[in-house]
């Protein structure tokens, strides 16, 4: 940790740590789950994909809450986040992010109510009637709520990358590609989590085909991101060198690129060609995707704060 702090610009400033990387990862994961569940509803595949949709719906709110706690732990003043909700600043990414998170938490929680009520496992019996009434209220509004959650999922996924871009003095983070890159990465990690939680089923084939497209897009974005740094200022070139050949290359190449993109892509292509889905390979691929998604955030949070 001392080496990391010695290598960043202006060490008197409060630095982002692992908590922010975890927050960005969980935010992207929740965004991907929202997009998957909402898209299944809107495409009329809710019944066919119900186990996977239910899992995505139920896991989204707690993942967002854990992410918020992680971000809160990183703050020097624990009361700072609450001041953001006393006003709205249209030109402030932090203000947008704060309100997006609250909106996503509210709407994703509403979307999970029918699934919670249907499970019949609500532990607080005195509030069971209120839960059933809320589920009946949400039921006819599921499609409208799905459209809202789809938009909120995209906004949250993009925001996790835009948040890093607020550090404009750091060349590795000052890129317009981080928003789309984190959105695609979040969608990929969400698919991986669904495969781990609910193996098999028709959604498995869908996620395998989607994985190929998502990984190709993610690989292209990573390449464009590095090319953008390498063809920019000397500071940006130094930032690119840190990722590909410097202090963070040992994480970037084997974990972010190989384990997070290339190996899962190869496994998905093999499954499509052979029409065989190995449970062990699916778990391995999904675990690598999750590790690669988290490593991407860690690398950019730490390497992106280096001074050159």
């Amino acid at each position: 940790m001392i080496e990391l702090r010695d290598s960043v610009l202006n060490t008197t400033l409060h630095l982002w740590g692992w908590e922010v990387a975890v927050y960005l990862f969980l935010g992207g994961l929740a965004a991907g789950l929202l997009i998957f569940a909402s898209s299944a509803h809107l495409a009329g595949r809710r019944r066919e994909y119900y186990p996977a949709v239910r899992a995505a719906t139920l896991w989204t709110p707690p993942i967002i809450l854990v992410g918020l706690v992680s971000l809160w732990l990183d703050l020097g003043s624990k009361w700072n986040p609450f001041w953001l909700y006393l006003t709205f600043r249209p030109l402030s990414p932090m203000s947008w992010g704060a309100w997006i998170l609250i909106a996503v938490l509210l709407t994703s929680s509403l979307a999970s109510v029918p699934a919670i009520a249907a499970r019949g496992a609500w532990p607080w019996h005195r509030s069971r009637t209120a839960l059933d009434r809320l589920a009946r209220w949400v039921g006819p509004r599921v499609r409208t709520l799905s459209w809202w959650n789809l938009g909120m999922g995209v906004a949250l996924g993009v925001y996790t990358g835009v948040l890093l871009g607020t550090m404009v003095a750091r060349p590795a983070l000052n890129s317009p590609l981080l928003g789309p890159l984190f959105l695609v990465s979040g969608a990929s990690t969400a698919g991986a989590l669904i495969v781990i939680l609910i193996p098999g089923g028709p959604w498995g084939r869908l996620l395998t085909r989607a994985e190929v497209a998502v990984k190709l897009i993610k690989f292209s974005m990573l390449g464009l991101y590095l090319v953008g740094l390498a063809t920019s200022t000397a500071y940006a070139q130094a930032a690119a060198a840190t990722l590909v050949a410097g202090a963070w290359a040992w994480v970037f190449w084997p974990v972010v690129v190989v384990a997070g993109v290339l190996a899962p892509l190869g496994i998905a292509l093999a499954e499509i060609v052979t029409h065989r889905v190995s449970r062990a390979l699916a778990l391995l691929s999904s675990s690598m995707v999750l590790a690669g998604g988290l490593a991407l955030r860690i690398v950019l949070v730490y390497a992106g704060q280096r001074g050159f």
Side-chain angles (χ1 to χ4, degrees), residues 31-252:
L33 292 174
L34 267 181
I35 292 171
F36 171 79
S38 301
S39 299
H41 278 288
L42 296 172
R45 311 298 288 270
R46 178 177 176 273
R47 291 184 180 274
E48 183 181 0
Y49 297 164
Y50 181 70
V53 171
R54 182 180 63 185
T57 302
L58 291 174
W59 275 79
T60 300
I63 286 175
I64 294 174
L65 284 174
V66 174
L68 286 172
V69 171
S70 178
L71 178 62
W72 180 75
L73 291 174
D74 182 73
L75 297 174
S77 175
K78 306 304 183 185
W79 290 101
N80 280 347
F82 302 100
W83 293 107
L84 290 172
Y85 297 106
L86 297 179
T87 184
F88 175 69
R89 301 172 62 187
L91 299 181
S92 170
M94 294 297 292
S95 183
W96 274 100
W99 286 103
I100 287 174
L101 285 169
I102 288 297
V104 170
L105 184 59
L106 175 62
T107 58
S108 65
S109 297
L110 280 176
S112 69
V113 168
I116 295 173
R119 288 175 66 111
W122 188 252
W124 298 284
H125 299 292
R126 293 184 179 179
S127 59
R128 180 72 201 190
T129 301
L131 178 69
D132 290 336
R133 288 177 179 173
L134 184 57
R136 287 194 295 269
W137 181 87
V138 171
R141 298 168 175 82
V142 166
R143 188 169 182 83
T144 301
L145 193 58
S146 295
W147 277 113
W148 179 262
N149 279 334
L150 179 62
M152 286 292 97
V154 173
L156 177 59
V158 172
Y159 164 71
T160 57
V162 172
L163 178 62
L164 289 183
T166 59
M167 299 184 70
V168 294
R170 269 59 173 185
L173 303 180
N174 189 20
S175 171
L177 286 173
L178 289 187
L181 175 61
F182 277 28
L183 173 63
V184 172
S185 177
S188 181
T189 56
L193 181 61
I194 291 171
V195 169
I196 291 175
L197 293 175
I198 313 292
W203 56 87
R205 294 187 294 273
L206 170 69
L207 292 175
T208 298
R209 293 193 297 269
E211 185 70 10
V212 173
V214 167
K215 288 306 180 192
L216 289 174
I217 295 172
K218 183 177 179 181
F219 187 72
S220 300
M221 285 186 173
L222 279 173
L224 290 173
Y225 167 72
L226 292 175
V227 169
L229 292 180
T231 56
S232 186
T233 65
Y235 297 105
Q237 293 172 13
T242 299
L243 294 175
V244 301
W248 286 96
W250 67 276
V251 178
F252 181 77

